[in-house]
């Protein structure tokens, strides 16, 4: 059986809802417009669904050079290329990162919607955040994603998990960038290098998962699953794994329906 790309996703603003797309431009930092923005608090600490599950209820769309955010009955938009000049230096996990605020009005809108002071920031240039990979023994230019630029998940991994769950879940729980039709559960862990369209990718490691996967993206409500069940058969070194962290070796375009070649 061929491995085919069945779904592609980007998450423009870290920890907000994602966008399903048909074609994607693969860049070193991740797909174009994927996790180039994030929310930070007054101490410039980044904000995620781990502490604020309701972030999943903010839905971005990309239209005519703008990002349009819908939340409940409210909408707000800003230009993709928009930013203030003053550099902000902060950490994304262990990585020193340079970002800029998008604009004051957008920060105010998010602050009012969330009920606490925050601002929306953006990473502008490749190299403004470098991630040192001990696994690869090299440094990667990355976006504002947790670690690596891309997450790949095979369909059989989700099917295998759903067989064990009373309440079935969708792939959106795991926030993948690339979903493929696969033959065996978790075989994506063992892919080394492969090509999709004109883009070559390299596997780094299985992706460690956190409590965020327990947040139902359609409701913003946290439960104990699927992490509880996953931990019974996907735990190693005190981490629970699902999906594969990968990065690209060249830039190019991939699309739903493309096959993988090894």
């Amino acid at each position: 059986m061929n491995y085919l790309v069945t779904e592609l996703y980007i998450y423009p603003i870290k920890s907000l809802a994602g966008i399903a797309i048909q074609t994607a431009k693969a860049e070193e930092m991740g797909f174009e417009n994927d996790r180039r923005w994030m929310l930070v608090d007054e101490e410039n600490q980044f904000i995620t669904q781990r502490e604020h599950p309701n972030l999943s209820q903010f839905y971005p769309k990309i239209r005519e050079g703008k990002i349009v955010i819908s939340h409940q009955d409210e909408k707000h938009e800003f230009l993709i290329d928009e930013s203030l000049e003053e550099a902000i230096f902060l950490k994304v996990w262990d990585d020193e990162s340079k970002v800029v605020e998008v604009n004051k009005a957008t920060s105010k809108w998010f602050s009012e919607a969330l009920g606490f002071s925050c601002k929306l920031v953006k990473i502008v240039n490749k190299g403004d955040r470098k991630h040192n990979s001990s696994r690869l023994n090299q440094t990667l230019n990355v976006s504002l994603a947790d670690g690596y630029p891309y997450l790949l998940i095979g369909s059989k991994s989700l099917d295998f998990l759903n067989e064990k769950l009373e309440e079935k879940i969708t792939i959106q729980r795991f926030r993948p960038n690339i979903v493929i039709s696969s033959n065996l559960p978790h075989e994506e862990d063992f892919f080394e290098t492969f090509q999709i369209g004109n883009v070559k990718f390299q596997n780094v490691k299985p992706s460690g998962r956190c409590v965020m996967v327990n947040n139902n993206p359609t409701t913003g409500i946290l439960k104990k699953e699927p992490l509880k069940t996953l931990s019974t058969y996907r735990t190693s070194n005190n981490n629970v794994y699902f999906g594969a962290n990968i990065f690209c070796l060249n830039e190019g375009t991939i699309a739903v329906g493309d096959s993988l070649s090894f």
Side-chain angles (χ1 to χ4, degrees), residues 27-29 36 83 85 87 97-100 122-130 141-144:
E27 300 174 339
E28 182 182 357
M29 292 168 66
R36 301 301 202 269
S83 66
E85 289 185 9
S97 308
K98 176 185 172 185
V99 297
V100 288
K122 176 187 182 184
I123 187 167
V124 177
N125 301 307
K126 185 164 72 173
D128 283 349
R129 177 188 172 202
K130 294 182 180 296
N141 294 314
V142 296
S143 67
L144 301 171

Side-chain angles (χ1 to χ4, degrees), residues 30 64 203:
E64 298 170 349
N203 195 353

Side-chain angles (χ1 to χ4, degrees), residues 11 14-15 29-30 34-38 46 50 92-93 95 97 123 129 131 142-151 177 245:
Y11 308 86
K14 184 179 180 69
S15 242
M29 292 168 66
D34 183 44
R35 285 167 288 204
R36 301 301 202 269
W37 295 264
M38 71 180 179
F46 67 87
R50 295 171 183 87
V92 181
W93 299 114
D95 303 336
S97 308
I123 187 167
R129 177 188 172 202
H131 179 68
V142 296
S143 67
L144 301 171
D146 271 357
Y148 292 94
Y150 298 92
L151 177 68
N177 295 110
N245 292 131

Side-chain angles (χ1 to χ4, degrees), residues 122-186:
K122 176 187 182 184
I123 187 167
V124 177
N125 301 307
K126 185 164 72 173
D128 283 349
R129 177 188 172 202
K130 294 182 180 296
H131 179 68
N132 295 312
S133 170
S134 56
R135 183 73 64 113
L136 295 168
N137 196 27
Q138 70 183 84
T139 300
L140 301 176
N141 294 314
V142 296
S143 67
L144 301 171
D146 271 357
Y148 292 94
Y150 298 92
L151 177 68
L152 172 78
I153 297 178
S155 58
K156 289 296 183 186
S157 303
L158 180 67
D159 292 347
F160 189 67
L161 171 59
N162 270 329
E163 287 171 10
K164 303 173 186 302
L165 294 175
E166 287 184 23
E167 197 174 319
K168 310 306 178 194
I169 61 171
T170 65
I171 202 72
Q172 281 81 6
R173 286 291 181 111
F174 298 99
R175 300 173 69 81
N177 295 110
I178 304 169
V179 183
I180 61 166
S181 56
S182 56
N183 303 312
L184 299 168
H186 305 294

